[in-house]
Each structure stands twice: as structure tokens, then as C-alpha cells.
Amino acid sequence: MLRGENGITLVALIITIIVLIILAAVTIINITQFGIINTAINGSINYSHAQSNEVYMIEGMSTSLDTTLSTITSVLSGIK
């Protein structure tokens, strides 16, 4: 009886290894054919550009707010 159980365990191990090899091959093929890496690179480049644009817009708004605040301050100081 022990001999038969060991044989089933060995067959299950071999089948598991074969299935894992097939899954690894399918994953590698999908990564290379569908351009997942290129999509990730393009996404990071687009994110960097958006971040630069956002910094530029925030600096422009900060300058506008400073100008407006100084104008309001000068008008209010002229009223007193």
C-alpha cells in the first residue's frame, strides 16, 4: 500500500511542475507580445509630464495670488 501512495504523490508532483512551467511560459509570452512593459514606461513618462505641468500651474497661481494680495493691501492701506 505504501508503494502505491508514493507513486500517486510523484505523479501529482510532476503534473504540478508541468502546469507551473506552462503558466510561466504563457505569462512571459503575454508580457512580451502585449507590451505591458512599454505601457508601464509610457505611464511613468506621462505621469512625469503631468507633474511638471502641475508645478508650473501652481507657481503661476501663486504669483497671481501674491500680486492680487499686494494690490488689495495697497488699496486698503490707502483707505486708512
Side-chain angles (χ1 to χ4, degrees):
M1 294 217 58
L2 293 177
R3 190 172 192 185
E5 291 175 7
N6 287 338
I8 292 173
T9 305
L10 184 60
V11 170
L13 177 65
I14 292 171
I15 290 172
T16 304
I17 291 173
I18 290 171
V19 168
L20 289 174
I21 290 172
I22 291 171
L23 288 175
V26 168
T27 302
I28 291 171
I29 289 171
N30 283 333
I31 287 174
T32 57
Q33 283 184 351
F34 295 120
I36 294 173
I37 295 174
N38 290 334
T39 303
I41 291 171
N42 290 337
S44 63
I45 290 171
N46 291 339
Y47 179 80
S48 175
H49 288 298
Q51 184 180 15
S52 298
N53 289 338
E54 185 176 350
V55 168
Y56 176 75
M57 288 172 36
I58 289 173
E59 288 174 353
M61 287 201 290
S62 175
T63 303
S64 296
L65 287 173
D66 288 341
T67 304
T68 304
L69 183 61
S70 65
T71 303
I72 291 172
T73 304
S74 65
V75 168
L76 290 178
S77 66
I79 293 175
K80 291 182 180 180

